[in-house]
Structures are given as structure tokens and as C-alpha cells.
């Protein structure tokens, strides 16, 4: 048995950033990650930083903090996060009215500019002008998901933090039974070969967070989609922008499947609440590789199987309509779980009615919002008051 002040479960961007910030505050922190190489939603993300997309005072503040954070982060972590600014093109398909689509973006902190087909093709020559009736454009940030996560992990270990490659199989519980009739408390985690005890356990397990907590009898309103994408090796072809559709079907799927009415069904495997969505987009990284996506499926079983051959064909057909040069590039299909919440805001803080366990998950824009919120949450754990962290507490759903 080993004891720590904090045990963080999950070594993606959320767990890596939070572990680093906790270590900065002087907490003895253990980061537990199942895989020795980066996998999951962090690995297969576009890693975009949509600073422009705040719609409330809260999200505007967080995105502005994120922008400043990323400008300084490479120096702080002593690594190149590959941070850059690039043009985002939100393509408008031929079945839509560009002016009407543009009004859907009028509530954002920085309103994307509506441009013609010709202007869009000047910005991104690989676009198929026959497939769109216009586009919206705005500048936003971008990083390498692998580089920034590795940078956080290395900085964490330099501060004395400990990383163990181990699969967490359960939670150590005390209380709430005849022998110990006091409030239930989580005092540690079980892995396949060890038990680790800690003052606090923090779940940063992304899309698997819900099912992991459910297996311990702990409900939480975090959900997941099965996301699929294609990744090419480095190619000579040059994609200048991040291209995604202006009408993202995935966002609507998340909104309609995270209601309280479906809560019980989420705990039953085998449900598919809505047909899968396919949002054809692409981003090229600094090493020349391109990620093409994405299919999103709302399946209540985190281990559900999907047909990679059919998915790859569907993604290639759709990206071929918008960016024909990408359709037949050699690429590998990948699948992961992506976490989301019932209100587009992450769940951060103590899980109600159970002592000793916290969650840091459900980020809609993780690469933008995780760095500032990891810092805020670590400060909060250290005893500092933070009204933003209080607003993001899982307890906000207690009456819903």
C-alpha cells in the first residue's frame, strides 16, 4: 500500500495538466495512466483552441485566460507545445442559406466573418468550390496534443510528481454500512497489482469517467460519444487551415442525449439514442500528418463495437466532397471516447454525497480550457476561493 496527497486517474491532457498544477502547489501527487503511450481522445484530437467562441461572461473569461496561458505555456513547461494561430474555415454546404447560418454565430464573443466561395478558396485552395455556398472564418489557436501532454508530464516529474503505468480497477471505500455507519468516503484506488491511498482521488478519465464511477455506485452527469477519425502519415500536400462544417451535427446530438429523461438509460448498455453524425473536417499538424473526421456515435456501451471499414468509407466520401485531395490519402482509422456534459461546461470538483473523490472531466474544448481550469482547480484544492470553480461543481446538477 502506498499513500499520497492526491491520486489523479487518467493521463490525457486533463490528468497531465492537473497533476502538474497540483505538484506546483506542493501536493504529493501520483498520476495513474493505463497506457504507456498516449491514446484516447487526447491523442486523436484536432487540438484546436477556439478563443472566439465564448458566449457568456464565464466562457469569455475562460477563453481569454486560455489564450494568455497558451502564449506562455511552452516557456513554462520548457517544451514546444507547437502553439500557433491559424485560420478556421467553417464551411457552409450548398443546402444552407449563408446569411441564416451566419446569424447562428452572432452570439459569440468574436463573430466569425462571412465570406464568399471565392474568398474561402483563396484562403484554402484545397476546397471544392462546388460543395459550398460560402464560409465563416475567424482566427484561433492550435497545439500538438502529444507535445503539450508530454510537456505537462515532464514538468510534473521535474517537480517530484510520480507517474505509474497501471490500470485502475476500482475505488477503495469506507463507511455507509453497518460496520462503518458514517458518510461514504473514497480513500484510494485499486490497480491490477497495487492499492494506492490518498486524501483525494481525482477522476480525469474522459469518456470512460461515467462508467468507471458507475461501477463504484457513484452517479455523475458526464456522458460520452464514440468518435472516429482518420489519420494520415506526413504528406507533402499542404492544408492551410482548420476546416470544419459550420453546422456541426455532433453538437445537436450531445444536447439531445444529455437530458435528465435519458439518465437511467445511460446506465444500460445497448442504447443508441440518435443516428450517428458525420462532420467532415480536417487539420494538418506541423509534422505534415492530417487528421480527418469525424463520426460521432452516442452509444451507451463504452465498449461497443463499430465497423471501421464502413466508417472509413463514409468519412472518405464526405471529406472528398469538401476537400477532394484528401479523399484517397493513405490513412489509419482510429476510435476513442469523448466526454461531454449536460450544459457544455466541464464538471470540476467534489462529487456530491461521497467524500474524498473529485472529477475533472466533460470538457467541450479541452485544449483551450484545461490549462486555465487546472490551475484554478489546484489553487482551489489548496484552499483558495474561486467562484468559477464553484460554478463548475458537479453539484449544479443535483436539482436537475
Amino acid at each position: 500500500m502506498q499513500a499520497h496527497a492526491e491520486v489523479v486517474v487518467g493521463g490525457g491532457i486533463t490528468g497531465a495538466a492537473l497533476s502538474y498544477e497540483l505538484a506546483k502547489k506542493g501536493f504529493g501527487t501520483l498520476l495513474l495512466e493505463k497506457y504507456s503511450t498516449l491514446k484516447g481522445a487526447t491523442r486523436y484530437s484536432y487540438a484546436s483552441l477556439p478563443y472566439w467562441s465564448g458566449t457568456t461572461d464565464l466562457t469569455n473569461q475562460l477563453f481569454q485566460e486560455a489564450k494568455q496561458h497558451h502564449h506562455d505555456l511552452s516557456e513554462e513547461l520548457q517544451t514546444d507545445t507547437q502553439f500557433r494561430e491559424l485560420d478556421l474555415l467553417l464551411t457552409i454546404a450548398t443546402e444552407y442559406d449563408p446569411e441564416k447560418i451566419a446569424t447562428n454565430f452572432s452570439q459569440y464573443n468574436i463573430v466569425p466573418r462571412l465570406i464568399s466561395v471565392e474568398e474561402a478558396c483563396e484562403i484554402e485552395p484545397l476546397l471544392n468550390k462546388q460543395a459550398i455556398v460560402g464560409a465563416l472564418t475567424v482566427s484561433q489557436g492550435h497545439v500538438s496534443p502529444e507535445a503539450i501532454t508530454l510537456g505537462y508530464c515532464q514538468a510534473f516529474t521535474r517537480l517530484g510528481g510520480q507517474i505509474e503505468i497501471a490500470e485502475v480497477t476500482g475505488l477503495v471505500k469506507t463507511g455507509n454500512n453497518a460496520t462503518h455507519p458514517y458518510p461514504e468516503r473514497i480513500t484510494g484506488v485499486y490497480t491490477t497489482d497495487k492499492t494506492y491511498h490518498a486524501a483525494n482521488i481525482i477522476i480525469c478519465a474522459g469518456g470512460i469517467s461515467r462508467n468507471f464511477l458507475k461501477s463504484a455506485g457513484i452517479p455523475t452527469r458526464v456522458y460520452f460519444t464514440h468518435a472516429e477519425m482518420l489519420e494520415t502519415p506526413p504528406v507533402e500536400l499542404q492544408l492551410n487551415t482548420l476546416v470544419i462544417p459550420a453546422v456541426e451535427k455532433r453538437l445537436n446530438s450531445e444536447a439531445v442525449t444529455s437530458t435528465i429523461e435519458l439518465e437511467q438509460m445511460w446506465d444500460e448498455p445497448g442504447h443508441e439514442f440518435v443516428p450517428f453524425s458525420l462532420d467532415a473536417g480536417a487539420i494538418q499538424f506541423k509534422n505534415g500528418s492530417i487528421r480527418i473526421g469525424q463520426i460521432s456515435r452516442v452509444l451507451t456501451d463504452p465498449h461497443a463495437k463499430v465497423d471501421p471499414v464502413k466508417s472509413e468509407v463514409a468519412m472518405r466520401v464526405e471529406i472528398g466532397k469538401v476537400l477532394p485531395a484528401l479523399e484517397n490519402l493513405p490513412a489509419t482509422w482510429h476510435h476513442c471516447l469523448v466526454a461531454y456534459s449536460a450544459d457544455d461546461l466541464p464538471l470540476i470538483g467534489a462529487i456530491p454525497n461521497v467524500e474524498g473523490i473529485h472529477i475533472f472531466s466533460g470538457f467541450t474544448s479541452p485544449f483551450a480550457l484545461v490549462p486555465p481550469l487546472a490551475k484554478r482547480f489546484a489553487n482551489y484544492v489548496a484552499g483558495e476561493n474561486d467562484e468559477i470553480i464553484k460554478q463548475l461543481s458537479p453539484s449544479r446538477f443535483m436539482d436537475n
Side-chain angles (χ1 to χ4, degrees):
M1 182 181 75
Q2 298 188 29
H4 302 267
E6 311 287 329
V7 167
V8 175
V9 179
I13 181 62
T14 54
L18 184 57
S19 295
Y20 165 72
E21 295 293 351
L22 288 168
K24 276 177 63 179
K25 299 301 292 185
F27 291 104
T29 305
L30 170 67
L31 173 59
L32 295 173
E33 166 55 40
K34 181 178 179 179
Y35 300 105
S36 58
T37 57
L38 193 62
K39 297 182 183 292
T42 293
R43 168 63 178 82
Y44 302 118
S45 171
Y46 284 174
S48 62
L49 312 174
Y51 308 134
W52 57 274
S53 62
T55 57
T56 65
D57 289 343
L58 172 62
T59 54
N60 287 338
Q61 179 178 344
L62 289 174
F63 278 121
Q64 286 308 304
E65 288 182 14
K67 185 174 185 178
Q68 183 58 54
H69 213 94
H70 277 284
H71 276 285
D72 301 333
L73 197 55
S74 288
E75 181 178 356
E76 178 178 344
L77 299 181
Q78 300 175 36
T79 191
D80 180 9
T81 67
Q82 298 183 25
F83 172 76
R84 56 178 171 156
E85 300 279 351
L86 79 167
D87 292 321
L88 167 66
L89 280 181
L90 299 155
T91 55
I92 303 172
T94 54
E95 65 263 33
Y96 297 111
D97 180 335
E99 297 291 342
K100 288 184 178 179
I101 295 301
T103 63
N104 296 337
F105 290 80
S106 61
Q107 78 274 26
Y108 291 107
N109 184 45
I110 300 174
V111 179
R113 181 170 60 94
L114 178 62
I115 58 176
S116 67
V117 174
E118 289 71 23
E119 288 175 291
C121 292
E122 286 178 10
I123 296 171
E124 183 48 75
L126 295 182
L127 279 175
N128 174 17
K129 63 175 60 178
Q130 305 302 320
I132 62 174
V133 291
L136 295 156
T137 187
V138 66
S139 178
Q140 69 173 34
H142 183 254
V143 293
S144 161
E146 297 98 325
I148 191 172
T149 306
L150 178 60
Y152 268 123
C153 288
Q154 292 175 337
F156 170 59
T157 57
R158 286 196 299 269
L159 291 171
Q162 182 182 353
I163 301 175
E164 294 284 350
I165 304 304
E167 180 179 2
V168 176
T169 57
L171 299 173
V172 182
K173 294 183 181 181
T174 61
N176 200 24
N177 56 49
T179 306
H180 300 93
Y182 44 83
E184 186 173 67
R185 181 175 181 84
I186 304 302
T187 61
V189 297
Y190 299 109
T191 69
T192 50
D193 59 354
K194 289 183 181 179
T195 300
Y196 297 95
H197 283 261
N200 287 303
I201 309 299
I202 307 175
I203 305 301
C204 299
I208 203 67
S209 296
R210 180 186 181 91
N211 281 69
F212 176 76
L213 290 167
K214 184 190 75 172
S215 68
I218 301 173
T220 185
R221 291 193 65 187
V222 64
Y223 309 94
F224 56 89
T225 59
H226 290 254
E228 302 168 68
M229 52 81 70
L230 303 176
E231 183 175 50
T232 78
V235 295
E236 292 185 5
L237 178 148
Q238 184 65 49
L239 183 66
N240 295 330
T241 61
L242 167 57
V243 176
I244 59 175
V247 179
E248 281 194 86
K249 299 172 185 176
R250 172 185 63 87
L251 300 179
N252 182 63
S253 295
E254 292 179 0
V256 301
T257 58
S258 56
T259 62
I260 192 65
E261 291 77 15
L262 297 178
E263 194 67 17
Q264 183 176 346
M265 294 176 67
W266 265 103
D267 293 329
E268 303 167 356
H271 295 294
E272 184 172 13
F273 297 122
V274 293
F276 76 84
S277 61
L278 201 172
D279 296 308
I283 178 68
Q284 187 167 34
F285 289 80
K286 281 192 171 183
N287 69 353
S289 67
I290 299 175
R291 290 179 194 168
I292 301 166
Q294 79 174 19
I295 288 177
S296 298
R297 303 176 191 269
V298 187
L299 304 171
T300 56
D301 182 357
H303 307 294
K305 302 297 183 184
V306 297
D307 187 335
V309 176
K310 289 183 178 179
S311 293
E312 180 171 344
V313 169
M315 283 188 282
R316 286 185 180 277
V317 168
E318 290 303 309
I319 200 65
K321 295 176 183 177
V322 183
L323 295 163
L326 274 56
E327 181 175 2
N328 295 313
L329 289 176
T332 304
W333 172 89
H334 296 285
H335 164 266
C336 62
L337 299 181
V338 176
Y340 65 99
S341 77
D343 62 3
D344 292 331
L345 294 172
L347 279 73
I348 300 177
I351 295 177
N353 303 319
V354 186
E355 297 179 1
I357 187 159
H358 297 71
I359 189 168
F360 190 72
S361 187
F363 289 83
T364 300
S365 299
F367 286 89
L369 296 182
V370 163
L373 284 171
K375 185 180 186 69
R376 282 180 170 272
F377 187 40
N379 291 341
Y380 185 75
V381 173
E384 297 182 23
N385 183 52
D386 192 305
E387 293 301 320
I388 285 180
I389 294 300
K390 290 179 180 178
Q391 291 181 62
L392 301 177
S393 167
S395 63
R396 70 184 187 269
F397 295 121
M398 288 293 287
D399 297 326
N400 297 327

